[in-house]
Amino acid sequence: MEKRDYPPARYSLWIYSGILLCLTLLSRLYALAEKPIHFDESINGWFSLQMQQTGFYRYDPNNYHGPLYFYLLHGAEWMWGRSVEVLRCIPAVFSILSVLICPYPAVALLILFSPAFVFFGRSGIHEMPFVFFQLMAAWGVLRSFEKGDGKALALILCGLWGMLLLKETFVITLFCAGLAFLSLGWNFIRQFWRASYWQGAWTQMLTYLMIFLGVSFVLIYTGFFKNPVGFAHFFQAIMPWLKTGVEGMGHEKPFWYWFQVLAEAEPLVLLGVALAFVGAFSSQREIRFMSVFSLSQLLIYSLIPYKTVWCVLSLIWGF
């Protein structure tokens, strides 16, 4: 049998990937139950318990959270029973995937060792799955700047699908992404939206993906047609969500709250904030896009009185 010689770079990649995988699994799965359960975690567990009786999740626009996480949690509890570990395993898996899908090794390491990602990535709440789909959409957008291909479109579509099924804060994400696109200039925007830029990107697999995402979106919001009004409630949710965000509802925090959180838990991110002010004027589209997007998110989240600390996950990865 012929002996193959692999270049040193290939071995280095394997070693790096193996170490990254081991550290990620250890940091996200070890001792999942070793911190007190939070009130919001217990509420999510209660919703899953109700699904055992009704067979579906009845989406309520006043709950401010989409149905996807509850179906995933319900499925995990059906397979492995009810426990704190099972309650937290779904976000932990998305936390692992957030590291592994990252195409930039340095960013993957920062996410791996981020105190916020380690702590809230192991909490039974919606934030970590939501951030995973934020990352997926972002990788797709950044890839599309290099070449408009099917993989970029697939990442963007799947990222949007997940965000819309998890949290109403997708509105902020999309608004900030729009501002970031505007910062790239009209000439690029006009070129980006030309059919010739995406020539050859659409494939039969993307057609199947679009059908799957569209059908599953309707099924999940309607409780698999057991709660048809749930689909209409998706479009009604923005008004009660905006009202809660403005009034605070007991979660009022000052404008500088996120800077205080970053200074205490993620000081390296503050360096990223400072660099983003420079990056907003960069000639590199990727850097300018991420800088404007991240600064816009930080500003909007700071202006909104309603603040829960785990939302810091949505703020830090861009920086």
Side-chain angles (χ1 to χ4, degrees), residues 59-60 69 71 79 101 125 169 181 187 203 222 228 269 290:
Y59 175 69
D60 181 354
Y69 174 69
Y71 280 105
M79 288 188 290
I101 70 165
I125 53 178
T169 47
F181 264 110
N187 289 334
T203 63
T222 61
V269 175
M290 287 308 306

Side-chain angles (χ1 to χ4, degrees), residues 10-11 113 132 203 210 224 233 264 304 317:
R10 179 71 62 85
Y11 287 115
F113 292 111
F132 166 78
T203 63
M210 279 284 291
F224 296 85
H233 283 164
E264 293 177 5
I304 295 174
W317 61 265

